Amino acid sequence: MFAKYVFLLLTSFSLAATATAIGSAASVATGLQQTAPSQTATGQANAAQELAQVSLVHAFQGGQWQRDALGKFLGQAVKSFDDYVYYQAGIAVKWDENGRAFGVLAEPGFKGEIVPGITVQTSQQEILRKLGTPAFTEQEYGLIGYSYQDYYLFVTFAEQKAKAFSLYRRDRVPDTRALVDMAQHLQAYGEKLAEPAASGPFSIFAAWGQPDFTYHLHGIGTYAWEYPSRGIAYDGAPEEATLTIYSNFPAKDALPALAKLPYVSISPEDALFVAEKQRIEQEKANLLQAKSEGIFAPDRKTVAVIDSEVLYSSASIRFYDPNDKPVAQLFPGHYLNKAVWLDNNWIYYETMMGAGVYHVPTQKATVILSWDEQQAAPITMFDVNETHLDLAKKEIAFVSADSHTYTVQYQLAGERVFLAWKK
């Protein structure tokens, strides 16, 4: 019990960095609307028809990359996985914190054009013939990339065939004076720069709007933010903050003045190329983990992978199908101690802060115990020392510090679960 008090205090003030974007993606995942198969099919057909009339990049440019303006092209959101929201139209989008598309992935089943004249079926030779010499290459990943005024296009190949197409929004710099002024006063402006949301129209935020992404220290506040679409990143405590200017920063005429300033670093790397390589690296690492540590459902049609090697608030269970395609992702809010399949669709999960069951097809979680009191539950997770599952009896036993056992019986009925505590 004492250990739990200590751990709670430590986690309350831990310097765990949490990207707001991850939390946004998780909220989409748990809030996905469920639709009937006929509605889903109709939505997919309508979204596909809309995109068939224009290339993917033109659709996003026409909607100014804004989520609200792109609804008719995207259709219904069907899942969220590793910061990307997947849509009926056959694409996945990574939204920034301002509701604009930062990254767009075209899935193999996407039927339209990515850019004019290029589809997911276009051969590597034809892509190179039409688009010319790539601006970026990474042989290890089979990756090539092209930079244009308003977007980047990356293509990953496997055995001479396109495996994935990835678009990134590229923004122009509306006012370099605000950036130079901020760079000259990084420490003086420190407290306001460290809290973009609270600072309102101050310095660079007045000229450029809120950052694409912000990152936080639990119990402390924002410690970093970035505009990767413009090649700018801010990092560090207010009194020692640094500013990194990446090579995709479009206002090259401002670089000489910026390069002379202390705490400013001019990077030869391109922030959008870095983002794509990191996406691929994470995907590869996650699939390797799935093969070595995956927990298969009884029918072996779904594999669950616990990821607790990250920040506790970002810990998750990823679910894949037999072809390594993402199925769903659960963010329980803390490090995971246990995950056990109850049948082919339901999985029991447990963290130090709570326990519950998750229905993978509908991406719905039901809490059994939490750190706080739950209605009808005779115990909280704070008091639990160990748990035992009896799949045959459909029971979960929670053993308290005083060795008292509290047992809940569960009944699974499609996408519904019924819980009953034994007296």
Side-chain angles (χ1 to χ4, degrees):
M1 192 73 69
F2 176 73
K4 288 193 176 184
Y5 275 117
V6 172
F7 187 81
L8 181 61
L9 288 171
L10 288 174
T11 53
S12 296
F13 297 99
S14 68
L15 299 183
T18 304
T20 301
I22 293 176
S24 300
S27 65
V28 172
T30 55
L32 294 177
Q33 298 178 3
Q34 301 305 316
T35 56
S38 59
Q39 293 175 308
T40 300
T42 301
Q44 289 174 335
N46 291 340
Q49 185 176 10
E50 291 283 355
L51 278 173
Q53 300 174 14
V54 62
S55 70
L56 185 61
V57 70
H58 285 162
F60 275 82
Q61 287 178 317
Q64 297 183 339
W65 304 84
Q66 294 281 355
R67 177 161 34 199
D68 293 342
L70 291 165
K72 66 177 181 178
F73 294 107
L74 299 175
Q76 179 72 32
V78 295
K79 67 186 172 211
S80 180
F81 198 91
D82 283 342
D83 301 342
Y84 279 81
V85 181
Y86 288 72
Y87 291 90
Q88 292 173 335
I91 60 175
V93 182
K94 181 175 181 177
W95 300 103
D96 70 14
E97 294 174 29
N98 302 304
R100 301 183 72 204
F102 170 65
V104 183
L105 283 174
E107 295 188 274
F110 179 70
K111 303 300 183 183
E113 292 185 328
I114 313 298
V115 296
I118 303 293
T119 72
V120 295
Q121 302 299 325
T122 307
S123 68
Q124 180 176 4
Q125 182 178 4
E126 187 66 5
I127 290 173
L128 291 171
R129 187 186 70 81
K130 289 185 175 182
L131 301 183
T133 302
F136 309 97
T137 58
E138 183 60 68
Q139 293 185 351
E140 180 183 354
Y141 304 142
L143 174 67
I144 63 171
Y146 297 87
S147 63
Y148 300 99
Q149 186 173 25
D150 296 319
Y151 68 94
Y152 278 30
L153 169 66
F154 294 101
V155 190
T156 309
F157 296 97
E159 298 179 355
Q160 305 298 310
K161 294 182 180 180
K163 179 182 176 183
F165 286 84
S166 188
L167 293 169
Y168 287 90
R169 186 186 85 240
R170 185 183 192 184
D171 289 339
R172 303 176 191 184
V173 174
D175 186 350
T176 58
R177 292 173 300 177
L179 174 65
V180 173
D181 177 72
M182 180 194 74
Q184 291 172 336
H185 301 88
L186 277 180
Q187 276 64 48
Y189 294 171
E191 290 188 6
K192 288 190 174 182
L193 291 178
E195 292 294 341
S199 298
F202 175 77
S203 184
I204 195 171
F205 311 134
W208 293 13
Q210 288 293 298
D212 296 340
F213 300 102
T214 56
Y215 305 89
H216 309 277
L217 295 175
H218 186 68
I220 302 297
T222 306
Y223 79 91
W225 47 258
E226 60 179 342
Y227 299 89
S229 56
R230 294 187 174 106
I232 299 296
Y234 171 95
D235 187 19
E239 64 276 6
E240 54 186 27
T242 60
L243 185 69
T244 301
I245 314 292
Y246 289 93
S247 65
N248 60 305
F249 176 67
K252 306 300 184 187
D253 56 340
L255 289 177
L258 291 167
K260 297 176 182 178
L261 299 174
Y263 309 109
V264 174
S265 173
I266 308 297
S267 173
E269 293 192 282
D270 186 294
L272 299 180
F273 189 32
V274 168
E276 177 64 3
K277 288 189 291 185
Q278 288 177 341
R279 184 193 69 80
I280 295 172
E281 289 166 0
Q282 181 181 359
E283 182 182 78
K284 286 178 176 289
N286 291 343
L287 289 176
L288 283 174
Q289 185 185 15
K291 294 185 184 304
S292 62
E293 303 174 19
I295 308 166
F296 279 94
D299 62 3
R300 301 191 69 81
K301 291 184 179 179
T302 311
V303 61
V305 190
I306 295 175
D307 184 5
S308 284
E309 299 299 321
V310 291
L311 312 169
Y312 72 85
S313 54
S314 303
S316 72
I317 306 178
R318 294 184 179 88
F319 299 90
Y320 297 91
D321 70 13
N323 298 315
D324 297 333
K325 299 302 180 186
V327 173
Q329 189 171 18
L330 167 67
F331 291 89
H334 218 284
Y335 293 125
L336 286 132
N337 302 328
K338 184 183 293 185
V340 179
W341 286 99
L342 303 180
D343 68 4
N344 294 325
N345 296 313
W346 285 92
I347 194 167
Y348 168 82
Y349 66 90
E350 182 181 307
T351 76
M352 183 177 178
M353 304 295 288
V357 290
Y358 182 69
H359 188 244
V360 177
T362 59
Q363 303 165 60
K364 290 181 179 179
T366 300
V367 175
I368 299 174
L369 289 183
S370 73
W371 205 260
D372 302 315
E373 292 184 2
Q374 293 290 308
Q375 185 176 5
I379 190 174
T380 69
M381 202 65 189
F382 179 79
D383 301 307
V384 174
N385 272 13
E386 56 184 277
T387 58
H388 304 284
L389 279 78
D390 189 325
L391 301 185
K393 293 182 178 181
K394 300 186 185 305
E395 294 181 348
I396 305 169
F398 299 91
V399 183
S400 66
D402 59 3
S403 299
H404 190 90
T405 299
Y406 301 85
T407 301
V408 65
Q409 295 176 312
Y410 63 87
Q411 292 293 328
L412 308 176
E415 62 183 65
R416 301 179 66 189
V417 59
F418 300 92
L419 303 171
W421 290 92
K422 295 178 73 173
K423 301 297 184 181

